Amino acid sequence: MKTITKQTALRFVKQQLKHATTVSITLLTHKKDRQVTIEKQGELFQITENGYQKETYTDLTEQAALKLLKKLLATEFPRSHQLYCQITSLRV
């Protein structure tokens, strides 16, 4: 697992989603008790929030997914400075 700063998390996710092999990205707190997962399903995205609230958002465009992710980062990780990042890719 890689650690990234919370300030660069949105830019990092946007960059990773441009790769054709990236399937999902999971962001976790240091204690790993809260997480946000963004999954690419063709042209649409699904975001799963598992922390303060347990919610799944489906059929999002890339722009809507990134906007929602920005909001969820502030909600789920209010006092975190570092986040763990786990990337799941297709094996080619």
Side-chain angles (χ1 to χ4, degrees):
M1 256 188 261
K2 181 178 183 174
T3 60
I4 58 173
T5 63
K6 183 177 150 185
Q7 292 177 338
T8 61
L10 194 63
R11 187 174 346 135
F12 178 79
V13 169
K14 189 186 298 187
Q15 182 182 19
Q16 290 299 316
L17 290 175
K18 287 184 180 178
H19 297 295
T21 60
T22 302
V23 176
S24 72
I25 300 172
T26 303
L27 301 172
L28 301 109
T29 60
H30 180 69
K31 295 193 307 186
K32 297 175 185 71
D33 59 345
R34 292 188 300 273
Q35 70 180 19
V36 174
T37 303
I38 182 166
E39 298 176 16
K40 188 194 289 188
Q41 300 169 338
E43 293 294 318
L44 299 177
F45 295 87
Q46 175 179 334
I47 296 180
T48 305
E49 174 185 15
N50 189 5
Y52 290 123
Q53 299 177 359
K54 294 180 179 12
E55 193 75 37
T56 301
Y57 306 93
T58 58
D59 298 332
L60 299 168
T61 63
E62 183 176 2
Q63 185 177 13
L66 292 174
K67 185 175 180 179
L68 179 62
L69 182 63
K70 184 177 180 179
K71 181 181 149 195
L72 292 177
L73 286 175
T75 303
E76 289 295 330
F77 313 121
R79 293 174 296 280
S80 298
H81 297 289
Q82 294 284 327
L83 302 175
Y84 284 112
C85 180
Q86 185 176 14
I87 300 172
T88 308
S89 301
L90 291 173
R91 300 287 179 208
V92 179

